[in-house]
Amino acid sequence: MSEERGTDRSSDRSRSTPVTRRRLLALVGAGAAAGAAGCNALGGDSTDRPAASTDAPADGETATPEPTATPTTARTETTTGTAVPSGFDASVLDGSPSSHVAPTDGFADASWLSGAMPEVVTVTNLDASGEGSLRWALNREGARVVVFEVGGVVDLAGESLTVSRPNAFVAGQTAPSPGITLVRGGLHVEADNVILQHLRARPGDELSGPVDAIGNAGGSNVVIDHCTASWGTDEGLSTNSPDAPDVTITNNLVAECLVDSIHPKGDHSMGSLVMNNSDNVTLAGNLWAHNVGRHPRLKGGTSTAVVNNVMYDFDRGTNLGGGVPDETTASIVGNYYRAGAITDESEPVVGATFTDADGPVRAYVAYNETDPSMPVVDQGAPIESLSERPVWPDGITTRRAGEAYEGVLAGVGARPADRTDHDRRIVADVRDRTGSPIDSQDDVGGYPELEATTRELSVPDEGLGEWLREFTVAVESV
């Protein structure tokens, strides 16, 4: 996306029979029916200290039972690859198996699912377009849950995917291992009431112009959770919703946005941009690694909560303001800033934007940590220090930054229990303090070549939410 243009919700983890590690691996695809085809002090007080939170479930904890390989109850077929279930329990999104941050802990919610009686639309091939493809599923009308009977690479050949119709839940966790990876194009939201989970997007430089790997281009009530966004040529994962508030970006891996690539400005390796006047944005539990700037950048008129994220190997950390003269407000709490190859350890990690911060900037910045010790807040920046959080979603709870660091590395990205080589490499870089930003995907081995896999799904007439939760547990529980 170009620069120009509280209370704790705990998950219910005792829903049915125990799930063993073997059953979880079978659910993500291994063994399933598959075939080749330093703390700061700007604001904050002891009453706002982050609270401890429960860990992700270990092997053997309870979850829902594994679905059978073939349908056990009749379904009403409406079109090829679709079925109408009896309802959806949206409360299954109130907890995350791998993170203390749930998809509904931000300002966006999933209540539209409960009353929508969504249609199930099945992706049956890895084609860039045509019936049975992901593009076909995204373009369908009406409330829908998109599931996958295929895993592997979708080569978009330069034509990014767009969610242009509202009320879509894209459940990438249902794909068999290795999951869904998009290349040579991105995935962008331009509609209200959208949930994206467990997908990878790696555009790379074989495109005619710059794109975000994943982004919200104007949708309201949007959740982007547990996705991997890498090799973006504009930003990695951004949001632009000036007239459409309530956007939640959680548990995503945003890495290696390309530096000297195809952007018309030249060097342009940028993590995440919250564009002008985007309101009620939550960024929590994410990992940014090997990007030059925007970790994130919160532009003029935005209101954003930046909570329990990890930022690694950056030249510019979190910047506020600029673009328009409207007031910028932010709560920046419990984040972990870790220096890498391009990090100047003498520079503050939070400050006003380096160009045109001409509007008021008000922020509560507290309980962040740096590794090694670095200044947290630019004391010379025009930031008004607040003693209370000006923006905060009711559902979110926090951990101390050091605890969040370990949790993020364990549970971030598209499929924490089923990571591909690139995701494993990035997480290892953060732990080992290795690696550096790249100019092209070719610098790290090129576009991935993943085995194409298939698996038949049995979509239940009832309990669709519980059924999807099984797949979530399987791809997230490490």
Side-chain angles (χ1 to χ4, degrees):
M1 183 176 301
S2 174
E3 186 175 329
E4 270 61 41
R5 318 173 268 122
T7 53
D8 182 17
R9 290 182 192 164
S10 58
S11 60
D12 181 358
R13 295 187 179 122
S14 58
R15 297 185 182 274
S16 189
T17 58
V19 175
T20 65
R21 180 64 173 170
R22 179 177 298 176
R23 292 181 66 206
L24 289 175
L25 288 173
L27 198 55
V28 298
C39 299
N40 68 300
L42 178 61
D45 54 50
S46 60
T47 62
D48 191 55
R49 197 169 296 277
S53 179
T54 56
D55 292 329
D59 292 343
E61 286 195 60
T62 56
T64 47
E66 180 180 351
T68 56
T70 55
T72 56
T73 54
R75 292 183 286 154
T76 303
E77 295 293 337
T78 56
T79 66
T80 301
T82 66
V84 180
S86 61
F88 193 101
D89 179 7
S91 70
V92 299
L93 293 167
D94 289 346
S96 171
S98 66
S99 174
H100 70 287
V101 179
T104 54
D105 278 353
F107 292 105
D109 65 65
S111 60
W112 62 270
L113 274 167
S114 298
M117 297 295 287
E119 176 187 50
V120 176
V121 181
T122 305
V123 176
T124 57
N125 61 61
L126 297 172
D127 297 342
S129 62
E131 185 170 348
S133 69
L134 177 55
R135 192 184 305 273
W136 166 83
L138 296 179
N139 285 335
R140 293 183 62 78
E141 295 182 348
R144 59 213 181 275
V145 175
V146 178
V147 299
F148 297 81
E149 291 191 334
V150 291
V153 175
V154 179
D155 190 337
L156 298 175
E159 297 292 333
S160 293
L161 295 176
T162 301
V163 186
S164 58
R165 292 183 169 129
N167 304 323
F169 178 7
V170 185
Q173 59 266 51
T174 57
S177 183
I180 298 297
T181 298
L182 310 176
V183 300
R184 296 182 180 86
L187 176 59
H188 307 136
V189 177
E190 295 181 358
D192 298 342
N193 299 338
V194 174
I195 301 170
L196 304 180
Q197 280 194 306
H198 303 287
L199 303 163
R200 305 182 197 94
R202 309 191 193 276
D205 58 17
E206 295 183 9
L207 301 169
S208 60
V211 299
D212 293 356
I214 300 175
N216 174 42
S220 176
N221 200 44
V222 172
V223 174
I224 303 173
D225 174 71
H226 273 104
C227 291
T228 294
S230 64
W231 308 343
T233 50
D234 201 346
E235 275 84 36
L237 200 169
S238 292
T239 184
N240 180 16
S241 52
D243 300 312
D246 303 329
V247 176
T248 298
I249 297 172
T250 49
N251 305 308
N252 301 288
L253 173 55
V254 184
E256 295 182 331
C257 295
L258 304 183
V259 185
D260 185 10
S261 183
I262 61 174
H263 200 283
K265 291 184 178 180
D267 288 1
H268 194 85
S269 171
M270 302 297 170
S272 296
L273 187 64
V274 178
M275 279 292 285
N276 302 332
N277 297 306
S278 299
D279 193 28
N280 284 355
V281 177
T282 307
L283 299 107
N286 303 289
L287 169 62
W288 287 275
H290 298 319
N291 310 297
V292 173
R294 299 179 187 170
H295 298 85
R297 180 182 176 188
L298 316 176
K299 293 194 72 177
T302 58
S303 60
T304 313
V306 182
V307 185
N308 277 172
N309 302 283
V310 174
M311 297 76 162
Y312 170 66
D313 192 24
F314 51 88
D315 177 64
R316 297 185 295 277
T318 301
N319 295 102
L320 291 77
V324 295
D326 301 317
E327 179 179 273
T328 302
T329 56
S331 300
I332 302 172
V333 178
N335 301 285
Y336 195 93
Y337 296 84
R338 183 169 169 83
I342 65 169
T343 306
D344 184 343
E345 296 174 17
S346 69
E347 291 293 322
V349 298
V350 177
T353 186
F354 56 93
T355 52
D356 54 352
D358 52 357
V361 177
R362 305 170 68 245
Y364 175 91
V365 186
Y367 307 111
N368 303 282
E369 295 182 21
T370 64
D371 177 16
S373 179
M374 294 178 277
V376 175
V377 179
D378 183 354
Q379 298 300 323
I383 299 176
E384 178 186 349
S385 169
L386 302 179
S387 59
E388 295 182 351
R389 300 168 300 199
V391 52
W392 197 255
D394 290 338
I396 201 166
T397 188
T398 58
R399 286 182 174 177
R400 298 179 187 277
E403 295 178 25
Y405 170 81
E406 292 296 337
V408 167
L409 265 58
V412 78
R415 297 166 73 96
D418 184 35
R419 283 177 172 150
T420 56
D421 288 345
H422 286 300
D423 282 13
R424 284 195 296 268
R425 174 178 56 80
I426 293 297
V427 173
D429 278 353
V430 181
R431 287 200 178 279
D432 300 337
R433 196 176 262 122
T434 54
S436 61
I438 62 174
D439 294 328
S440 170
Q441 69 280 349
D442 294 336
D443 296 345
V444 288
Y447 288 111
E449 295 181 2
L450 303 174
E451 180 184 23
T453 58
T454 61
R455 173 181 56 197
E456 184 179 358
L457 293 176
S458 173
V459 181
D461 282 347
E462 298 182 357
L464 179 60
E466 294 279 5
W467 180 78
L468 285 176
R469 172 81 178 177
E470 292 182 53
F471 294 95
T472 305
V473 170
V475 301
E476 289 189 32
S477 296
V478 294

